[in-house]
């Protein structure tokens, strides 16, 4: 299929957001419960990992997924605006494909279901392959550098760190708690 003057239709780029929504819906539904229930098995198989720090609440999962959604939506919008030429879109597309492969590797390592496993081979990988083929068929040059993939773990870490900051309850220390200062007396 040939593209018009080195551009792909906007739908190819917006497909990234669509595929991401389907995939992350699976993660949203399964992540918090899975991390809680799989922890004993993970601790026995991989005793040196601090699994208690990797367990996430439903609020954390929803917040992280929402934050990542903003990143993916931005990348998809840039891809749609540029006809697929945006390095950010291409890096996000490559990262999404790598993310799908990572889900398969995680499940193999765990020897069972991990969040995202169902949609990784059914949605993530087919979309990523299809989108790259559409870019090539349209003559869109790869503008993303391989180093752009290095941003993926940084973005994921940043999203989870921000989600943690937004969802963790701050413990109040008794020595720093003070009653509110009243400027006026109540009658």
């Amino acid at each position: 299929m040939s593209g018009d003057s080195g551009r792909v239709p906007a739908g190819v780029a917006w497909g990234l957001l669509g595929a991401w929504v389907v995939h992350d819906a699976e993660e949203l539904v399964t992540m918090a419960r899975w991390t809680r229930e799989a922890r004993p098995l993970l601790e026995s198989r991989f005793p040196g990992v601090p699994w208690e720090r990797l367990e996430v609440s439903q609020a954390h999962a929803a917040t992280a997924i929402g934050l990542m959604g903003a990143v993916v939506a931005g990348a998809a919008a840039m891809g749609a605006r540029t006809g697929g030429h945006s390095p950010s879109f291409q890096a996000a597309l490559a990262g999404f494909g790598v993310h799908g492969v990572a889900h398969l590797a995680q499940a193999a390592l765990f020897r069972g279901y991990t969040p995202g496993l169902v949609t990784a081979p059914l949605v993530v990988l087919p979309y990523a392959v299809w989108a790259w083929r559409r870019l090539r068929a349209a003559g869109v040059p790869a503008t993303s550098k391989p180093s752009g993939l290095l941003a993926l773990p940084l973005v994921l870490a940043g999203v989870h760190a921000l989600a943690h900051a937004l969802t963790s309850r701050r413990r109040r220390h008794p020595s720093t708690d003070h009653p509110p200062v009243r400027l006026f007396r109540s009658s």
Side-chain angles (χ1 to χ4, degrees), residues 12-162:
V12 173
W14 286 116
L16 173 64
L17 182 59
W20 177 87
V21 165
V22 171
H23 175 66
D24 273 51
E26 178 190 0
E27 290 184 337
L28 178 63
V29 170
T30 60
M31 188 183 301
R33 183 176 180 183
W34 184 88
T35 60
R36 186 175 53 254
E37 291 177 356
R39 187 171 150 196
L41 181 58
L42 290 168
E43 286 173 335
S44 70
R45 286 188 186 163
F46 310 101
V49 177
W51 294 108
E52 70 281 354
R53 299 173 96 191
L54 300 176
E55 191 173 315
V56 298
S57 67
Q58 188 62 38
H60 175 101
T63 302
I65 287 169
L67 292 168
M68 184 57 81
V71 171
V72 173
M78 287 188 274
R81 187 173 49 81
T82 63
H85 287 264
S86 166
S88 297
F89 166 69
Q90 290 186 15
L93 177 57
F96 191 55
V98 168
H99 180 71
V101 172
H103 275 292
L104 300 178
Q106 286 172 337
L109 190 60
F110 182 69
R111 292 179 262 169
Y113 177 82
T114 57
L117 177 62
V118 173
T119 54
L122 298 177
V123 176
V124 175
L125 295 173
Y127 165 75
V129 168
W130 173 81
W132 280 114
R133 284 182 177 162
R134 291 293 308 264
L135 288 169
R136 278 194 210 110
V140 176
T143 55
S144 169
K145 305 284 185 238
S147 60
L149 278 177
L150 296 177
L152 178 63
L154 297 174
V155 170
L156 288 171
V159 159
H160 279 285
L162 184 54

Side-chain angles (χ1 to χ4, degrees), residues 142-185:
T143 55
S144 169
K145 305 284 185 238
S147 60
L149 278 177
L150 296 177
L152 178 63
L154 297 174
V155 170
L156 288 171
V159 159
H160 279 285
L162 184 54
H164 177 74
L166 293 171
T167 60
S168 65
R169 294 186 179 171
R170 293 197 165 171
R171 294 184 182 168
R172 300 175 82 187
H173 191 277
S175 66
T176 61
D177 286 347
H178 300 287
V181 175
R182 294 190 182 217
L183 299 176
F184 302 100
R185 289 179 127 180

